[in-house]
Amino acid sequence: MRTVRALAAVVLTALAVSALTALPVLPAQAAEEVVLLSQGRPAVASSLEKPEFPARNAVDGNSQTRWSSAFSDPQWLRIDLGRTTVVHRVEIDWEASYATDHRIELSVDGETWETHWFGTGDGGNDVHNIRGTGRYVRMYSGARSGTAGNSIWEMRVYGEREKKAAAPTQSASPKPEQSAEASAEPSVTPKASPSPSPEASPVPSRSGPPGSVLYYVIRTAPDGSVEKLNDISERFLGDRNRWPEIAELTEGHRQPDGEYMTDPRKPKPGWVLKMPKDATGKGLRFGPLPGYEQASASPAPSATPSASPSPVDVSDAEAASSSVPWPTIGWAGAAVLVLGLLAGLVVWLVRRRKRHEPFDDSLLRTDTSAAWTVDRALRVLMAACERDGLEVPGTTGVFIEGSSLRLRLTNPASPAPQPWTVSEDGQSWSAPLAKLQSGAASEGSTAQFARLVNLGMGETGRVLVNFSVARGVISLDGPTRVRHEVLRRWLGELTGNPWSNEPRVVMVGNGLPQPEQVEHLAGIEQVVPELEVGEGGVLVLSQAPSAAQQDMLAARFASPEFTWVVIVLGQSPSARWRFTAGDDGWLRSGFLPDVRFDEQTAVRRGGE
């Protein structure tokens, strides 16, 4: 296999050298003109796994946000560079779920595509050195590495810096092409209309309450067909190729029917499109962006426009508020407007408090992509140990760090089966994610990992910890709403992951979430006789146990066969592990890396 790879490398190198020698000679300073073009540009994808993983996450410059597709083939991610240019390089930072067979394509018009790279991949960080001309760059995936979808942290496109136009002479009139720098901005891309028709003011008028945006409601054509985004783009922007801007602005907005636009090729009548600021034409509207919450909310008794929150960019809100004719309102009108805004704010706060009610009976869903990755890695670990005649080591934690996965062992162990490598102290085993996803997997029981919980995202990657290793009470402190949010996430992990064994969940005390899937008891004495060895379960206490109850639990944990997990909400002097959840979205423990738990709670909020 190594010989084949070496020969392939030699052949590819020879082809690359021959291709480079065939290219025209560039000036020495050309390399300095190659810059990052894709960051902040409009991005559109073939599909989304969830609204929390939109296409724009792959071009936002943040290595902790990602785009994730539906769990099917094929899939694609397309970036609009805003202008036609020479592309030199495309870099892709894959998450755990990657494309094993994909290609990089360029297009000038967004319709006809030319392939500039194709081949197989093993995840991690891809660097594709190409040379081609286009405005649109697309990663097209034909096959995935596993059952999950394609997932990309960042996709970066490098090309030639835009040449600044020469200063016009006094007799020359400015041309639309000379505003190229303005068109490079991601949110405003002015274009010259094919048939310009100057107007005194845009249609519709940009006046409305603060938070207003420009939008369009999709309609059905006389022949029964649904309007397409490229036709809408041509009508209101003068360029049918700017439809990705509309799709990106709308992506993540919950439509009046409660759904999301996950596939821009399949719009529905009645759906709302957030339009670029330079759109103009009859049929557009300016005001608060309609959506599911506004459609289901009760109308306010006052005639004053409601200040209900809507997913609007700050720049849009500022532009809208600046368009309100404040000098002509007068003191009386200003007072009425302020009172209306205050009333709307009170209504919003009440709704927000109700939405974040700590006694919500829903459990958080697991991040399916990460869960699949970890489950696959654990099964490959089991198969490798069985193959080499080794015992599967006890695991305290699992850390997904870039393109590798690391196990923190309960006791040092060496040697490790391939593809695992052992740390110097023997306390950790690591392996590339690509090899874990392609290796042989065991179909045996994963019961020994049943209490493994995904806590969230740390600075170096995802962090999971095995609650069964605590061998004592686990306390979860912090503001009531926040710790209840984290608790719901933990319960979702303990009961819904592929390696979970559907444990019995018992909640004791008042003021706890009330999901139907669990038992609710008034006092711990009702469950004490059942806290015996066996399959175990999860016990949640609303307050710290008494001294007698602490002694009872300590005696139970002294037995290796006792497999219950005991979680106390609030401070507990007897706790072996102590976690504190903050309003800032961070979960701190003192013995594990700090993690952002709100990266996990977004999975739930996106479905509300």
Side-chain angles (χ1 to χ4, degrees):
M1 180 62 70
R2 292 182 179 177
T3 303
V4 173
R5 291 179 179 174
L7 289 174
V10 171
V11 172
L12 290 175
T13 302
L15 290 175
V17 170
S18 62
L20 289 174
T21 56
L23 295 175
V25 179
L26 298 176
Q29 68 272 20
E32 300 177 359
E33 298 299 319
V34 176
V35 295
L36 177 62
L37 302 176
S38 55
Q39 188 164 315
R41 296 302 309 168
V44 180
S46 53
S47 66
L48 304 180
E49 176 190 349
K50 300 187 184 79
E52 299 91 272
F53 306 131
R56 62 176 175 271
N57 283 356
V59 292
D60 62 359
N62 186 348
S63 60
Q64 300 299 316
T65 61
R66 61 188 174 95
W67 161 69
S68 184
S69 75
F71 297 1
S72 61
D73 294 318
Q75 300 292 339
W76 50 262
L77 176 65
R78 158 182 167 156
I79 302 172
D80 179 3
L81 300 179
R83 60 184 174 85
T84 299
T85 186
V86 178
V87 177
H88 288 258
R89 185 170 76 253
V90 177
E91 299 178 358
I92 302 178
D93 296 338
W94 296 97
E95 201 238 358
S97 303
Y98 60 92
T100 56
D101 181 5
H102 66 285
R103 58 183 184 259
I104 303 298
E105 302 174 320
L106 301 181
S107 174
V108 175
D109 57 6
E111 301 290 339
T112 304
W113 296 90
E114 182 178 2
T115 299
H116 286 263
W117 183 93
F118 69 92
T120 58
D122 58 359
N125 306 105
D126 285 345
V127 178
H128 303 307
N129 292 307
I130 63 176
R131 183 177 177 82
T133 301
R135 169 177 171 172
Y136 304 92
V137 182
R138 184 170 71 175
M139 185 288 300
Y140 189 96
S141 167
R144 295 159 293 134
S145 58
T147 57
N150 286 280
S151 185
I152 293 177
W153 293 112
E154 282 293 308
M155 179 170 167
R156 295 178 292 273
V157 179
Y158 293 85
E160 294 186 0
R161 186 189 301 274
E162 184 176 14
K163 304 290 190 302
K164 291 187 177 181
T169 62
Q170 293 182 353
S171 60
S173 58
K175 297 181 179 181
E177 289 78 10
Q178 293 174 345
S179 62
E181 288 190 5
S183 68
E185 294 296 327
S187 58
V188 181
T189 313
K191 294 270 184 176
S193 175
S195 56
S197 55
E199 297 179 352
S201 60
V203 179
S205 174
R206 266 61 162 179
S207 62
S212 296
V213 296
L214 197 62
Y215 68 92
Y216 177 73
V217 180
I218 299 176
R219 297 177 296 183
T220 303
D223 61 359
S225 62
V226 181
E227 294 179 293
K228 301 299 183 183
L229 263 63
N230 53 3
D231 295 330
I232 295 172
S233 177
E234 183 175 26
R235 189 191 324 163
F236 297 115
L237 297 172
D239 185 349
R240 65 188 296 107
N241 292 326
R242 290 182 62 188
W243 67 265
E245 298 178 43
I246 303 174
E248 185 192 35
L249 289 171
T250 306
E251 194 175 45
H253 175 63
R254 197 173 189 185
Q255 298 293 335
D257 60 0
E259 297 186 21
Y260 295 88
M261 187 177 70
T262 57
D263 188 342
R265 299 168 299 178
K266 300 178 181 178
K268 294 184 179 180
W271 277 12
V272 179
L273 302 176
K274 184 178 177 182
M275 302 294 291
K277 298 175 186 177
D278 61 321
T280 183
K282 294 182 179 180
L284 293 177
R285 305 179 188 179
F286 189 80
L289 192 66
Y292 182 77
E293 292 184 356
Q294 286 84 350
S296 61
S298 300
S302 171
T304 305
S306 172
S308 300
S310 60
V312 181
D313 295 336
V314 175
S315 59
D316 292 334
E318 291 176 350
S321 63
S322 64
S323 66
V324 179
W326 290 102
T328 62
I329 290 179
W331 288 106
V336 171
L337 181 58
V338 170
L339 290 175
L341 291 174
L342 290 175
L345 179 61
V346 170
V347 172
W348 175 67
L349 288 174
V350 170
R351 290 176 180 170
R352 185 176 186 270
R353 184 176 181 180
K354 183 178 294 184
R355 189 184 303 129
H356 293 117
E357 173 63 51
F359 310 117
D360 187 355
D361 62 356
S362 63
L363 292 180
L364 291 174
R365 293 174 291 168
T366 58
D367 185 334
T368 54
S369 177
W372 178 89
T373 300
V374 174
D375 182 62
R376 175 76 182 183
L378 297 177
R379 294 186 177 277
V380 171
L381 169 68
M382 294 166 55
C385 288
E386 182 179 355
R387 179 196 66 213
D388 293 2
L390 302 173
E391 290 187 6
V392 178
T395 303
T396 301
V398 177
F399 305 86
I400 302 179
E401 301 166 331
S403 60
S404 65
L405 183 142
R406 178 169 62 90
L407 303 176
R408 182 67 177 177
L409 308 182
T410 54
N411 296 297
S414 183
Q418 289 294 329
W420 300 90
T421 58
V422 185
S423 62
E424 291 184 1
D425 59 2
Q427 198 71 58
S428 297
W429 287 6
S430 301
L433 284 170
K435 293 186 177 180
L436 293 177
Q437 293 174 7
S438 60
S442 171
E443 297 297 330
S445 171
T446 55
Q448 71 179 92
F449 305 107
R451 303 297 183 261
L452 190 63
V453 172
N454 187 343
L455 299 181
M457 292 292 294
E459 291 185 357
T460 58
R462 199 173 297 276
V463 177
L464 296 89
V465 64
N466 190 347
F467 275 12
S468 66
V469 178
R471 305 307 304 163
V473 171
I474 300 171
S475 66
L476 175 58
D477 199 12
T480 300
R481 179 189 63 81
V482 178
R483 69 190 185 195
H484 281 207
E485 197 76 65
V486 175
L487 174 64
R488 283 192 291 267
R489 173 59 189 163
W490 286 1
L491 294 180
E493 288 283 318
L494 290 166
T495 59
N497 272 322
W499 55 83
S500 301
N501 59 353
E502 299 183 356
R504 177 187 179 190
V505 180
V506 180
M507 290 186 169
V508 175
N510 299 320
L512 291 172
Q514 300 289 315
E516 298 180 356
Q517 298 93 329
V518 307
E519 302 174 43
H520 303 275
L521 303 176
I524 192 174
E525 62 277 356
Q526 296 177 262
V527 74
V528 167
E530 302 177 51
L531 294 178
E532 302 293 343
V533 299
E535 294 184 0
V538 180
L539 176 63
V540 180
L541 306 177
S542 64
Q543 58 185 6
S546 65
Q549 293 168 349
Q550 291 178 23
D551 293 341
M552 178 272 297
L553 291 173
R556 294 290 196 277
F557 279 114
S559 171
E561 289 78 23
F562 184 72
T563 59
W564 280 79
V565 171
V566 181
I567 301 172
V568 174
L569 290 190
Q571 297 183 356
S572 176
S574 63
R576 295 289 297 275
W577 288 359
R578 295 181 175 88
F579 292 92
T580 301
D583 281 320
D584 58 358
W586 286 91
L587 183 68
R588 300 173 174 88
S589 61
F591 65 96
L592 285 170
D594 294 348
V595 298
R596 288 201 64 88
F597 66 83
D598 58 352
E599 186 269 346
Q600 300 298 319
T601 60
V603 176
R604 172 176 172 268
R605 291 173 183 161
E608 289 183 338

